């Protein structure tokens, strides 16, 4: 007899535990099928003879423009990264726009042009689209939905599965955490001139595309967007017979991001990223993987931040910077609403 | 950020932990009466560095946790009045009253606005003269001067559409209340922020009347480890006293200007504390001179009953008698997204802190 809310709250959109409950209790309950039930970043299934990946995401960021990107760049990168997370090569996308009456055409064009540039850079094309306009006040400026299809060019590379994760496996992240979320928060509070970092928003096939073609020991990946690294780690652990231990002083966070987080009461472990991939790698393969990641600008600050352990099953633990140990839980409630 | 890293030095923390282990040869119970301390202690995993002889208890130091349900009901009823908008600090909106929370009321279209400071609320009132703006005044000696400043500004600038629904509270009566109930504590880790305003004087009666040591602590792990060591030494020497560990922020006299402002606007009144009940002279209400800024005088607010949600043991937790894990609802029906009791609402509440950093079992 859980005490339920009877209407949608902002916290339902924040990527944390309330959102997981909503997805499970409403969407999966009614749409249920074997593929959706896996709750992966993208669905992987066979179409005729080959595997394809399919995903969709909606973007409602406020403000629409922020240091390092805008809602359009986010929409393209976010969908590409969901495809990359399951090991697929992004192939094509769709883009649906919901526009609020009165939104400046110039800004729309700027957003669309940025989308085209980033799609070209990432080697995908926009294959379908849709536009709806709603009355003023019925949506906030512009909402974008993107869906994407990815393919698996190397037929014999194994598909990722949480179930292959074993104690000893290493946890790798490709760079600094929290840049995106805090850049958006800075822009929202008109502090963008006071910060020295930008959103990390980037299409990660440019970093991982080549690595996915060969078996380098990657077992599982997920991009830590809303809910941040902490929530993503908890999702990975959930229901498995393993625990994950991370080391606070190995987790890369820029001093300036940490400073802004401290000032505003956020925890960088829960702040959204848009150009990060969390990689679970087979023990022994981590140094090779790390050196390959670090050769690419999108992975220059990659780090091994933790390992899979056999104790504390289903839990994420953190060794703090002062040597203490504590639990890391999923984001509960609303830390950063509407940032991706 | 380098100066901060100094207070998070692993080597120094380990050295302090060794000294604490060496000295703490018998059981000692220290209570932190500040939500910020509760959070920092658990976030940095400090209990895992301490010997089993040292227990850290969380006291009534989170303003959200000690706010009664009737206050939330009153705030919601105000937000339902015509042309009235309630301004509050964010934490409070998820606390359940007897009749829902401010967050749910906001989702139903009631006028509730989150502000970052009391002065924001005054500014908001100035910009919206057609509305009546009510600021929810919660918190201890740390936030009360801010609310006082807002009332003084509204009074100076002739802003007639601003008022305060005050549930401001004073720390010492609660600290004394806990010891008077006979709850065994060997020392208080005293709130750093509150003490920057009040200074050390207010803890003196606790030392003199109850023979319990008070160390005013900062919020970094090294501060807290150091404060624990200072309390252990006081206990071993049987010399309870008020000591300032957080000397970089706290002066013995506190901040006289803030105190002056606070007592210019407010006078003490009996106040309801969740878990502790009514405590004499433990709250602050606007003086008669400022009655036009006192929401209780300006509006006709219905009275509501103070109750505790069924099964919730917040009261015992706030007194250090039980830990969150001993609550049957903890992490089951009571979670940060669906808090049953107030201790689960704020990121500084004991239950939420345990939920976030200590795990569910
Ligand atoms: S877990 Fe929830 S119900 Fe139990 S004491 Fe804490 S706040 Fe109250």
């Amino acid at each position: 007899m859980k005490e339920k809310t009877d209407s949608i709250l902002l916290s339902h959109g924040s990527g944390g535990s309330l959102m997981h409950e909503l997805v499970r209790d409403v969407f999966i309950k009614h749409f249920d099928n074997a593929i959706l039930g896996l709750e992966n970043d993208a669905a992987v299934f066979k179409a005729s003879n080959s595997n394809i990946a399919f995903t969709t995401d909606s973007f409602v960021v406020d403000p629409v423009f922020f240091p390092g990107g805008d809602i359009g760049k986010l929409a393209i990168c976010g969908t590409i990264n969901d495809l990359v997370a399951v090991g697929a090569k992004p192939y094509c996308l769709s883009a649906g726009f919901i526009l609020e009456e009165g939104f400046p055409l110039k800004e729309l064009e700027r957003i669309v042009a940025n989308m085209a540039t980033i799609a070209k850079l990432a080697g995908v094309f926009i294959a379908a689209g849709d536009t709806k306009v709603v009355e003023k006040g019925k949506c906030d400026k512009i909402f974008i939905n993107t869906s994407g299809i990815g393919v698996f060019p190397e037929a014999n590379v194994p598909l990722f599965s949480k179930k292959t994760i074993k104690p000893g496996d290493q946890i790798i992240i490709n760079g600094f955490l929290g840049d995106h979320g805090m850049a958006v928060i800075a822009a929202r509070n008109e502090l963008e001139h006071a910060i020295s970092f930008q959103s990390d928003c980037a299409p990660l096939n440019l970093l991982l595309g080549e690595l996915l073609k060969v078996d380098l020991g990657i077992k599982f990946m997920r991009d830590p967007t809303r809910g941040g690294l902490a929530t993503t780690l908890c999702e990975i652990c959930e229901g498995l017979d393993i625990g994950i231990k991370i080391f606070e002083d190995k987790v890369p966070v820029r001093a300036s991001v940490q400073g802004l987080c401290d000032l505003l009461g956020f925890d960088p472990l829960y702040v959204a990223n848009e150009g990060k991939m969390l990689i679970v790698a087979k023990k022994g393969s981590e140094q090779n993987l790390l050196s390959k990641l670090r050769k690419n600008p999108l992975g220059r600050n990659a780090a091994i931040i933790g390992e899979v352990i056999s104790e504390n099953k289903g839990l994420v633990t953190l060794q703090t910077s002062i040597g203490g140990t504590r639990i890391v839980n999923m984001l509960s409630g609303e830390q950063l609403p509407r940032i991706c | 950020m380098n100066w901060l890293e100094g207070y998070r030095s692993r080597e120094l923390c380990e050295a302090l932990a060794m000294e604490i282990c060496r000295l703490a040869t018998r059981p000692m119970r220290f209570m932190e009466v500040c939500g910020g301390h509760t959070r920092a202690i658990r976030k940095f995993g400090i209990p895992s560095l301490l010997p089993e002889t040292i227990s850290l208890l969380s006291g009534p130091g989170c303003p959200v946790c000690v706010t009664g349900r009737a206050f939330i009901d009153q705030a919601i009823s105000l937000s339902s009045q015509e042309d009235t908008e309630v301004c509050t600090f964010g934490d409070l909106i998820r606390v359940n009253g007897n009749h829902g929370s401010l967050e749910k009321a906001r989702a139903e279209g009631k006028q509730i606005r989150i502000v970052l400071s009391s002065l924001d609320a005054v500014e908001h009132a100035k910009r919206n003269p057609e509305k009546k703006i009510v600021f929810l005044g919660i918190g201890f000696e740390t936030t009360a001067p801010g609310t006082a400043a807002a009332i003084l500004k509204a009074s100076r600038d002739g802003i007639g559409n601003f008022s305060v629904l005050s549930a401001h509270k004073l720390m010492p009566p609660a600290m004394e209340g806990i010891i008077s109930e006979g709850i065994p504590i060997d020392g208080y880790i005293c709130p750093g922020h509150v003490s920057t305003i009040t200074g050390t004087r207010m803890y003196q009666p606790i030392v003199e009347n109850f023979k319990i040591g008070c160390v005013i602590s900062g919020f970094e792990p090294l501060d807290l480890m150091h404060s624990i060591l200072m309390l252990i030494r006081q206990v071993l020497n049987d010399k309870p006293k008020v000591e300032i560990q957080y000397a970089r922020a706290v002066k013995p006299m506190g901040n006289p200007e803030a105190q002056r402002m606070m007592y210019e606007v407010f006078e003490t009144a009996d106040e309801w504390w969740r878990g502790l009940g009514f405590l004499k002279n433990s709250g602050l209400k606007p003086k008669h001179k400022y009655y036009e800024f006192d929401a209780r005088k300006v509006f006709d607010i219905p009275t509501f009953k103070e109750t505790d949600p069924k099964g919730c043991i917040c009261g015992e937790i706030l007194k250090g008698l039980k830990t969150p894990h001993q609550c049957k609802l903890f992490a089951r029906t009571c979670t940060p997204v669906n808090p049953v009791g107030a201790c689960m609402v704020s990121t500084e509440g004991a239950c939420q802190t345990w939920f976030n950093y200590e795990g569910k079992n």
Side-chain angles (χ1 to χ4, degrees):
Chain A
M1 49 140 243
K2 215 160 182 176
E3 197 199 337
K4 291 274 178 208
T5 59
D6 36 24
S7 52
I8 292 292
L9 307 174
L10 268 180
S11 310
H12 278 111
S14 58
S17 50
L18 203 57
M19 180 159 179
H20 281 80
E21 239 169 65
L22 179 74
V23 168
R24 236 160 270 166
D25 297 354
V26 179
F27 297 118
I28 293 187
K29 182 173 128 196
H30 291 284
F31 294 153
D32 190 28
N33 61 60
I35 294 170
L36 189 67
L38 291 176
E39 294 184 43
N40 278 330
D41 282 349
V44 178
F45 51 88
K46 270 212 156 54
S48 72
N49 269 336
S50 49
N51 284 316
I52 66 162
F54 179 49
T55 189
T56 188
D57 214 338
S58 301
F59 297 83
V60 294
V61 65
D62 168 40
V64 172
F65 296 94
F66 49 82
D70 61 50
I71 188 170
K73 183 179 179 190
L74 207 57
I76 300 286
C77 296
T79 294
I80 287 178
N81 293 349
D82 281 347
L83 294 170
V84 176
V86 296
K89 177 179 186 299
Y91 184 67
C92 67
L93 308 185
S94 72
F97 295 82
I98 297 175
L99 305 169
E100 187 187 23
E101 177 188 22
F103 187 65
L105 204 53
K106 247 202 179 128
E107 290 190 8
L108 175 64
E109 196 166 351
R110 193 170 140 205
I111 290 167
V112 173
N114 285 343
M115 289 172 80
T117 310
I118 204 85
K120 195 165 166 210
L121 183 75
V124 297
F125 62 97
I126 314 294
D130 175 52
T131 310
K132 298 278 182 296
V133 178
V134 294
E135 273 170 52
K136 194 150 191 75
K138 293 277 158 74
C139 88
D140 190 4
K141 298 185 192 89
I142 172 170
F143 296 163
I144 303 179
N145 172 275
T146 43
S147 298
I149 292 178
V151 293
F152 293 83
E154 303 284 304
N156 41 10
V157 171
L159 292 177
F160 298 149
S161 160
K162 249 170 74 153
K163 298 206 177 90
T164 62
I165 300 175
K166 296 253 152 18
D169 289 347
Q170 301 288 298
I171 311 286
I172 300 175
I173 190 83
N174 62 309
F176 290 114
L177 289 166
D179 293 5
H180 173 73
M182 293 325 284
V184 170
I185 287 291
R188 198 181 291 166
N189 293 295
E190 291 167 16
L191 292 170
E192 62 262 59
H193 302 297
I195 61 171
S196 56
F197 57 91
Q198 299 193 323
S199 162
D200 58 349
C201 181
L204 290 176
N205 57 341
L206 300 182
L207 170 71
L208 294 160
E210 290 304 311
L211 304 190
L212 292 174
K213 283 189 189 158
V214 274
D215 183 5
L216 288 171
I218 300 179
K219 286 187 165 184
F220 190 76
M221 296 203 291
R222 185 154 270 195
D223 62 333
T225 53
R226 272 164 313 171
L229 177 79
T231 303
T232 302
L233 287 168
C234 292
E235 285 167 0
I236 294 179
C237 264
E238 210 171 50
L240 292 189
D241 230 11
I242 47 123
I244 291 180
K245 177 173 190 173
I246 54 167
F247 304 94
E248 191 170 35
D249 45 16
K250 300 244 171 76
V251 176
V253 178
R254 282 177 214 281
S256 45
V257 168
Q258 182 68 57
L260 190 59
C261 280
D262 285 347
L263 192 72
L264 300 174
F266 294 125
D267 181 343
L269 289 183
Y270 292 91
V271 176
N273 310 281
E274 284 296 340
K276 290 295 153 346
M277 194 63 80
L278 189 79
I279 302 171
V280 184
K282 193 158 70 194
K283 185 160 181 61
S285 64
E286 67 274 11
Q287 292 302 341
N288 180 24
L289 207 49
L290 198 63
S291 64
K292 291 205 159 54
L293 288 170
R294 285 186 174 160
K295 284 201 184 99
N296 187 302
L298 293 173
R300 185 158 296 140
N301 299 298
I304 300 167
I305 57 167
E307 61 188 15
V308 177
I309 53 174
S310 50
E311 307 89 60
N312 297 325
K313 293 186 174 42
L315 286 182
V316 180
T317 48
L318 173 90
Q319 188 180 90
T320 68
S321 51
I322 58 160
T325 304
R326 68 157 164 98
I327 298 286
V328 175
N329 240 330
M330 226 179 235
L331 173 68
S332 8
E334 167 193 348
Q335 161 141 316
L336 306 177
R338 296 184 49 196
I339 42 182
C340 47
Chain B
M1 285 290 110
N2 276 342
W3 66 272
L4 242 190
E5 274 161 27
Y7 292 102
R8 295 181 182 178
S9 149
R10 188 167 182 157
E11 290 70 40
L12 290 174
C13 277
E14 277 168 1
L16 282 168
M18 271 170 63
E19 183 62 2
I20 289 173
C21 284
R22 192 179 69 81
L23 291 177
T25 48
R26 62 176 155 101
M28 293 178 205
R29 294 156 54 92
F30 302 130
M31 177 178 271
E32 82 273 357
V33 273
C34 168
H37 285 157
T38 302
R39 180 156 184 254
I41 285 169
R42 307 284 154 185
K43 181 166 184 252
F44 287 101
I46 286 180
S48 72
L49 297 175
L50 298 177
E52 276 180 7
T53 43
I54 302 294
S55 320
L56 297 181
L57 316 172
S58 308
C62 155
V64 173
C65 302
V66 290
T67 301
R69 301 230 284 181
F71 181 77
I72 303 293
D73 295 337
Q74 290 185 330
I76 294 174
S77 101
L78 275 171
S79 72
S80 320
Q81 301 204 11
E82 223 188 304
D83 303 329
T84 305
E85 186 172 353
V86 165
C87 289
T88 172
F89 294 135
D91 273 3
L92 205 62
I93 74 162
R94 302 230 316 280
V95 183
N96 277 313
N98 295 299
H99 307 284
S101 66
L102 288 161
E103 183 180 41
K104 286 177 195 152
R106 186 175 69 174
E108 283 161 14
K110 304 270 161 61
Q111 297 232 54
I112 291 149
R113 183 187 179 86
I114 293 181
V115 289
L116 294 176
S117 80
S118 51
L119 289 171
D120 285 354
V122 179
E123 279 305 318
H124 186 58
K126 201 172 184 175
R127 280 195 305 270
N128 297 280
E130 74 291 352
K131 284 190 196 166
K132 294 174 213 144
I133 305 298
V134 183
F135 175 71
L136 304 183
I138 67 156
F140 306 110
E141 289 88 339
T142 341
T143 52
T147 307
I151 289 180
L152 289 172
K153 183 173 167 53
S155 161
R156 226 178 19 243
D157 298 358
I159 300 170
N161 60 331
F162 173 80
S163 64
V164 170
L165 185 72
S166 173
H168 279 296
K169 294 180 173 59
L170 298 169
M171 207 69 244
M175 292 168 75
E176 289 179 17
I178 284 177
I179 328 172
S180 317
E181 285 197 29
I183 294 155
I185 301 168
D186 298 290
Y188 271 126
I189 301 174
C190 296
H193 293 152
V194 164
S195 311
T196 54
I197 308 289
T198 61
T200 54
R201 205 177 46 197
M202 70 170 188
Y203 303 112
Q204 216 54 50
I206 294 174
V207 172
E208 279 156 23
N209 302 339
F210 302 97
K211 307 277 172 281
I212 286 179
C214 292
V215 172
I216 298 166
S217 177
F219 295 84
E220 292 301 322
L222 214 53
D223 292 324
L224 287 154
M225 295 288 286
H226 186 204
S227 299
I228 292 166
L229 182 61
M230 289 164 81
L231 280 170
I232 293 174
R233 289 199 175 119
Q234 286 192 20
V235 173
L236 293 178
N237 297 333
D238 200 16
K239 283 219 177 75
K241 54 186 162 187
V242 185
E243 284 184 286
I244 304 177
Q245 183 281 332
Y246 196 28
R248 61 186 185 280
V250 176
K251 303 278 164 287
M253 293 303 294
N255 179 341
E257 175 55 19
Q259 292 169 31
R260 191 198 57 73
M261 243 181 345
M262 191 164 102
Y263 286 107
E264 160 64 27
V265 174
F266 290 117
E267 61 192 6
T268 58
D270 298 349
E271 174 68 31
W272 174 270
W273 294 61
R274 193 190 293 244
L276 304 175
F278 270 111
L279 294 177
K280 225 176 159 32
N281 289 329
S282 68
L284 293 171
K285 63 167 197 202
K287 285 182 180 161
H288 182 69
K289 187 173 161 194
Y290 295 102
Y291 74 95
E292 60 198 297
F293 303 104
D294 184 348
R296 292 201 167 82
K297 303 269 163 55
V298 177
F299 295 91
D300 193 14
I301 313 174
T303 46
F304 295 91
K305 256 190 41 205
E306 282 297 358
T307 58
D308 277 325
K310 215 168 154 232
C312 174
I313 58 164
C314 274
E316 283 154 283
I317 289 172
L318 292 168
K319 289 190 234 171
L321 290 171
K322 288 206 170 138
T323 62
H325 283 164
Q326 289 172 291
C327 175
K328 288 203 180 76
L329 308 185
F330 180 79
R332 293 183 183 88
T333 44
C334 183
T335 63
V337 286
N338 263 321
V340 176
C343 292
M344 191 58 97
V345 172
S346 157
T347 51
E348 300 192 342
C351 294
Q352 181 168 148
T353 307
W354 281 59
F355 184 94
N356 289 339
Y357 304 128
E358 294 281 335
K360 298 176 186 166
N361 297 301

